[in-house]
Amino acid sequence: MTPTDLAAGTTDTAGGRLLVVVTVLVFTAGYLLSARLGPYGRCRRCDGNGQSPGSNRNRWGVCKRCKGSGRRERFGVRIVHKRRR
């Protein structure tokens, strides 16, 4: 590695690639574990209330996205549960 390589930012090493791969794998495993332990999040449309305000007062009613439960499946939950079966 020459000073020119350092200045140009072309320090491509196997250790750096390995670090990136391991970091991505750790974050992915952590997210999948958290999706397994807490598969539902708050509905974004009704903010977890189960009722959507609509466009005016007369349109107030059950949220169509979560069907009144106030919960939604998080990304990756179906993959986690499919792998478990």
Side-chain angles (χ1 to χ4, degrees), residues 38-81:
Y40 295 103
R42 282 192 338 232
C43 176
R44 292 184 186 135
R45 180 172 287 176
C46 67
D47 201 27
N49 292 330
Q51 294 187 354
S52 181
S55 59
N56 61 24
R57 218 174 235 213
N58 296 332
R59 294 182 54 106
W60 189 275
V62 176
C63 178
K64 292 179 183 177
R65 183 171 289 173
C66 67
K67 297 178 181 67
S69 69
R71 302 183 325 171
R72 64 168 177 83
E73 281 188 348
R74 291 174 52 194
F75 180 77
V77 168
R78 290 183 186 184
I79 295 170
V80 170
H81 289 289

Side-chain angles (χ1 to χ4, degrees), residues 7 11 37 84:
T11 58
L37 296 175
R84 193 173 145 225

Side-chain angles (χ1 to χ4, degrees), residues 26-36 72 74-77 80:
V26 166
F27 277 111
T28 302
Y31 181 79
L32 290 176
L33 179 65
S34 93
R36 173 72 179 104
R72 64 168 177 83
R74 291 174 52 194
F75 180 77
V77 168
V80 170

